[in-house]
Amino acid sequence: MNVHAPSPGADAVRTLVIGGGIVGLSIAWELGRRGHPVTLVDPDPAGGATFAAAGMLAPVSEFHYQEQELLGLTFASAAAYPAFARDLAEASGTDPGYRTRPTLVVGLDSADRTALADLAAAQRAHGLEVEDLGTREARRREPLLSPAVSSAQAAPGDHQVDPRAMAASLQAALAALPQARTVAATAVALLHDDPADPEGVTGAALDTGQRLEAQETVLACGLGAAAVEGLPTGLELRLRPVHGDILRLRAPERLRPLVQHTVRGLVHGRPVYLVPREDGTVVLGATQRENSEPGPQAGGVYELLRDAQAIVPAVAELELLEVTSRARPGTPDNAPLLGRCRGADGVDVPGLVIATGFFRHGVLLSPAAAHVCADLIGGGRVDLTPFRPDRFSRPATPPARLTPARSTP
Amino acid sequence: MNVHAPSPGADAVRTLVIGGGIVGLSIAWELGRRGHPVTLVDPDPAGGATFAAAGMLAPVSEFHYQEQELLGLTFASAAAYPAFARDLAEASGTDPGYRTRPTLVVGLDSADRTALADLAAAQRAHGLEVEDLGTREARRREPLLSPAVSSAQAAPGDHQVDPRAMAASLQAALAALPQARTVAATAVALLHDDPADPEGVTGAALDTGQRLEAQETVLACGLGAAAVEGLPTGLELRLRPVHGDILRLRAPERLRPLVQHTVRGLVHGRPVYLVPREDGTVVLGATQRENSEPGPQAGGVYELLRDAQAIVPAVAELELLEVTSRARPGTPDNAPLLGRCRGADGVDVPGLVIATGFFRHGVLLSPAAAHVCADLIGGGRVDLTPFRPDRFSRPATPPARLTPARSTP
């Protein structure tokens, strides 16, 4: 990735952002604060995966073998978070809940210990900072850890944000911009109203019948993106729902703080995490299901509670406040679909930027998504080759010519 | 217990029922259909323990050693259910969800098997019908029972009702009575406005400032009863909250019906039950906690899910719809506080009937409570000695004279 600062003198572009999850909100706010008139369209902003998300900002402990293209983007976004959160707090007058305490990673049995040690070696080989703690030091930092925990590491670069708080901050910041507005509706189709360029996107039609015209449209509505009509010919958005069940609990006063750090555990091979908030609540997650059941599943909730108690037994004494289930937009390579895409003529479709498929990384990647989308729209040069939204598409008819991408309007 | 039919020529009595849980609603409807003008007072009818209750009508499997006084009342109420439910369905035009399929009782390990066999022997010694099934027959009836289930019985006399449906039916039936009304408020004090008898109760004052006069007041607001001011001198309502966590789940189509009978299990000594509804949902309960945490506790929810899966593994695949926690009003001997109580002069306080402390048995005992309260108020003779609300009270000052109870007005 190669992000250039926007040129201050760039002309304002009339923009439309479809989707008000944390990604769409971040993009819209970034566009708005760079001076572009922006309209955000969502029937229920921050009500989807954002509502469920725990908000771990964990490029280190979320590092997975074979997802190395993603690593650069997650690190760039993690690096962008402090300034993004600070500017957002200032613009909104609210606290987006960004906290930089390190994450603890603990393993239960000897196989978990080995797996975490192997992963730490791979993480270090990629230059990531992982500190071996020893269980005594881990218990000094988190006295309520189970005596059965057999290994512990710290990831100083892995932090957290409160996605509901951040989404509220983004909405407040957006509302404070005179050139921004939000429309509570669902975009059902992209418009192609330029007779000179029938592939070009000129805005979107809403389920209310309204038509919103825009010079640039950002498609950031998660799983819903694939259902929007009028996508570029041949473009296949290979999104699949990966459901997650996640719990919110509240520690009684006598047990506060239950933990002070985000604690990620590996429990007999199964991942589980506890993310503490300052109000005494704890987010416990998360399952990954690819079945078609939309609601939280009893078996998944059971396993989360079981595994969380294995690393922090006092979880048993917490009040269960909320059980939430949401679908995250998964992609074949677990990386987002981000940037412009080629049309039938093999060149990038004007007027359209895609930003979806963020899977487990939507909250972490929001500042990066905001920056690259705003850079693209502002005419900056951004190399997003590994994340091209058309990388899983069959060649359009006629086959795509291998010409350089047309420069953005 | 000795219930007499109300005398048809009895004069109508102006009555007030404080508390709109299933007990208060049943009493109010019974009073109303016997021709008494009745006012029900509750800020949120059916929103307390009734909202949580599973609705097992299980005098046999709820039989506990040393609760033999209660047995007569539970059996009388179970025997009254068919007619009560039929009349209620007719009066309300709705289905209160009364179903008479037998209950299955299953044990997991050999200790559970022995405990259930011992309990069955005690139940039979009290004339209760318990059928030994054998696990093969149990699995024929319930194919999704775990292979680990090692013993099974049927209790043909244990049935179920849907408490939310029944409460809705009672509210509809009450609304259909011209001489009944419901006031959405909280009663804060009993009135004593008869100068000739300062102990007598003449109605109640509400938190709205309103004063409702009545010839007879029934105090049926569960745990709230002890907080009402103006209780008879020396009366101690020894109520304590026993919290219960209870889950509602939904079986996916492919797993319906998950079970066809109410299944009660003993799992390594811990009780758990599954109550199926015809809409594909299943009620899974219930914990008993006497700590002060009002919300559902993670540890309790975890144990319910674990133990339910031990007897019906497919519970793991159900959607978790709802986690509810409510407090039931417990008493020192687990029997209700039901009937009239003595005042400072040692005779029954006129104008007051108490009906609380139903603990785990509120839904089962509602028809009996309705009948005995209406009988008392209608001037019938009812022997409720074992359930006297003043049985745990210290003698009032001056000490209660041991005179026969004054006849009801």
Side-chain angles (χ1 to χ4, degrees):
Chain A
M1 195 181 64
N2 188 358
V3 179
H4 290 259
S7 27
D11 287 340
V13 178
R14 195 146 35 84
T15 58
L16 173 64
V17 178
I18 297 173
I22 201 156
V23 171
L25 285 167
S26 295
I27 294 168
W29 178 57
E30 187 66 29
L31 287 168
R33 68 169 174 152
R34 290 192 190 183
H36 304 297
V38 58
T39 300
L40 180 87
V41 176
D42 194 298
D44 176 26
T50 299
F51 182 77
M56 288 185 297
L57 307 174
V60 178
S61 34
E62 282 281 332
F63 168 87
H64 286 74
Y65 306 106
Q66 301 173 330
E67 291 181 7
Q68 299 171 13
E69 292 289 11
L70 194 52
L71 196 61
L73 193 65
T74 60
F75 261 82
S77 204
Y81 243 101
F84 194 81
R86 186 194 58 231
D87 293 354
L88 177 58
E90 193 176 308
S92 66
T94 62
D95 177 6
Y98 174 61
R99 300 291 182 272
T100 57
R101 205 182 278 265
T103 291
L104 294 194
V105 181
V106 302
L108 202 70
D109 64 24
S110 62
D112 299 329
R113 189 168 63 238
T114 305
L116 290 176
D118 291 350
L119 184 59
Q123 287 163 336
R124 291 189 185 110
H126 283 80
L128 309 183
E129 188 185 355
V130 185
E131 190 186 337
D132 283 322
L133 278 191
T135 55
R136 178 178 304 211
E137 173 60 17
R139 284 194 195 94
R140 194 188 63 75
R141 297 190 193 186
E142 291 297 356
L144 295 183
L145 279 181
S146 167
V149 162
S150 75
S151 78
Q153 304 161 349
D158 283 355
H159 305 141
Q160 66 145 299
V161 74
D162 179 343
R164 293 183 188 174
M166 178 165 159
S169 295
L170 286 163
Q171 288 177 281
L174 208 51
L177 290 172
Q179 70 277 26
R181 66 179 182 127
T182 298
V183 177
T186 300
V188 293
L190 299 179
L191 298 178
H192 301 273
D193 289 346
D194 180 359
D197 184 353
E199 282 241 272
V201 173
T202 57
L206 310 188
D207 60 348
T208 56
Q210 200 183 354
R211 294 163 72 87
L212 296 175
E213 296 201 344
Q215 292 168 274
E216 292 279 2
T217 297
V218 183
L219 192 61
C221 51
L223 287 162
V228 173
E229 287 179 38
L231 291 176
T233 314
L235 178 69
E236 249 189 281
L237 295 178
R238 294 269 296 276
L239 299 167
R240 68 184 197 286
V242 182
H243 294 275
D245 303 326
I246 192 164
L247 314 181
R248 279 168 170 81
L249 306 112
R250 178 162 49 210
E253 288 290 347
R254 70 180 188 284
L255 287 176
R256 292 188 192 183
L258 182 83
V259 288
Q260 293 191 282
H261 308 76
T262 292
V263 178
R264 301 174 64 110
L266 199 58
V267 176
H268 309 309
R270 292 176 305 270
V272 65
Y273 57 76
L274 288 164
V275 181
R277 303 265 194 253
E278 282 156 13
D279 63 359
T281 63
V282 177
V283 184
L284 163 56
T287 63
Q288 289 195 40
R289 299 185 277 113
E290 307 217 11
N291 64 17
S292 58
E293 314 292 347
Q297 281 201 292
V301 172
Y302 162 73
E303 290 177 8
L304 288 176
L305 290 170
R306 179 191 62 195
D307 295 343
Q309 289 176 80
I311 57 171
V312 179
V315 163
E317 296 176 57
L318 269 53
E319 180 182 354
L320 180 56
L321 292 180
E322 190 185 303
V323 180
T324 310
S325 188
R326 289 291 187 279
R328 294 155 290 198
T331 63
D333 59 2
N334 296 334
L337 307 176
L338 182 62
R340 298 196 185 270
C341 58
R342 273 182 288 269
D345 60 359
V347 299
D348 283 350
V349 172
L352 179 65
V353 174
I354 300 211
T356 181
F358 289 88
F359 190 31
R360 291 190 309 267
H361 307 293
V363 178
L364 172 57
L365 292 180
S366 283
H371 291 149
V372 300
C373 290
D375 287 352
L376 277 174
I377 286 169
R381 289 181 47 234
V382 188
D383 177 11
L384 287 165
T385 306
F387 309 116
R388 283 197 71 94
D390 49 17
R391 67 188 183 277
F392 305 112
S393 303
R394 286 184 299 271
T397 311
R401 281 169 287 143
L402 295 176
T403 52
R406 194 156 60 180
S407 67
T408 55
Chain B
M1 195 181 63
N2 188 358
V3 179
H4 290 257
S7 27
D11 287 338
V13 179
R14 197 147 31 85
T15 58
L16 173 63
V17 178
I18 298 173
I22 202 156
V23 170
L25 285 166
S26 295
I27 294 169
W29 179 57
E30 186 68 27
L31 287 168
R33 68 170 174 149
R34 290 191 190 185
H36 303 297
V38 59
T39 300
L40 181 88
V41 176
D42 194 297
D44 177 26
T50 299
F51 182 77
M56 288 185 297
L57 307 173
V60 178
S61 34
E62 282 281 333
F63 168 87
H64 286 73
Y65 306 104
Q66 302 173 330
E67 291 181 7
Q68 299 173 12
E69 292 290 10
L70 194 53
L71 195 62
L73 194 64
T74 59
F75 260 81
S77 204
Y81 244 101
F84 193 81
R86 186 194 58 229
D87 292 354
L88 177 58
E90 192 175 308
S92 67
T94 62
D95 177 5
Y98 175 61
R99 301 291 182 269
T100 58
R101 206 182 278 266
T103 291
L104 295 194
V105 181
V106 302
L108 201 71
D109 64 25
S110 63
D112 298 328
R113 188 168 64 238
T114 303
L116 290 176
D118 291 349
L119 184 60
Q123 288 163 334
R124 290 188 186 111
H126 283 80
L128 308 183
E129 189 184 354
V130 185
E131 191 187 338
D132 284 323
L133 279 189
T135 54
R136 177 178 304 211
E137 173 59 17
R139 286 195 193 93
R140 194 189 62 75
R141 297 191 192 185
E142 292 297 356
L144 295 183
L145 279 181
S146 166
V149 162
S150 75
S151 78
Q153 304 161 350
D158 283 354
H159 305 140
Q160 67 145 297
V161 74
D162 179 343
R164 293 183 188 174
M166 179 165 157
S169 296
L170 285 164
Q171 287 177 282
L174 208 51
L177 289 173
Q179 70 277 26
R181 66 179 183 126
T182 298
V183 176
T186 301
V188 292
L190 299 179
L191 299 178
H192 302 273
D193 289 346
D194 180 358
D197 184 354
E199 281 242 273
V201 173
T202 57
L206 311 187
D207 59 350
T208 56
Q210 199 182 355
R211 295 163 71 88
L212 296 174
E213 297 201 346
Q215 292 167 273
E216 294 277 3
T217 297
V218 183
L219 192 61
C221 52
L223 288 162
V228 173
E229 287 180 39
L231 291 175
T233 314
L235 178 69
E236 249 191 281
L237 295 178
R238 294 271 294 276
L239 299 166
R240 68 185 197 285
V242 183
H243 294 275
D245 303 326
I246 192 165
L247 314 181
R248 278 167 171 81
L249 307 113
R250 180 162 47 211
E253 288 290 347
R254 69 179 190 285
L255 286 176
R256 292 191 192 182
L258 182 82
V259 287
Q260 293 192 282
H261 308 76
T262 292
V263 178
R264 299 174 67 109
L266 200 58
V267 176
H268 309 309
R270 291 176 308 269
V272 65
Y273 57 77
L274 289 164
V275 180
R277 304 265 194 251
E278 282 156 13
D279 63 358
T281 63
V282 177
V283 184
L284 163 56
T287 62
Q288 289 194 40
R289 298 185 277 114
E290 307 217 10
N291 63 17
S292 58
E293 314 292 347
Q297 281 202 289
V301 172
Y302 162 73
E303 290 178 7
L304 288 176
L305 291 170
R306 179 191 62 195
D307 295 343
Q309 290 177 79
I311 56 171
V312 179
V315 163
E317 296 175 57
L318 269 54
E319 180 182 355
L320 180 55
L321 292 180
E322 189 186 305
V323 181
T324 309
S325 188
R326 288 293 187 278
R328 295 155 290 197
T331 63
D333 58 2
N334 295 335
L337 307 176
L338 182 61
R340 298 196 184 270
C341 58
R342 274 183 288 271
D345 59 359
V347 299
D348 282 351
V349 172
L352 179 65
V353 174
I354 301 212
T356 181
F358 289 89
F359 191 31
R360 291 191 309 267
H361 308 293
V363 180
L364 173 57
L365 292 179
S366 283
H371 291 149
V372 299
C373 289
D375 288 352
L376 277 174
I377 286 169
R381 289 178 50 233
V382 188
D383 177 13
L384 286 165
T385 307
F387 309 115
R388 283 197 71 93
D390 49 16
R391 67 188 183 277
F392 304 112
S393 302
R394 287 183 298 272
T397 311
R401 279 170 288 142
L402 295 175
T403 51
R406 194 158 56 183
S407 66
T408 53

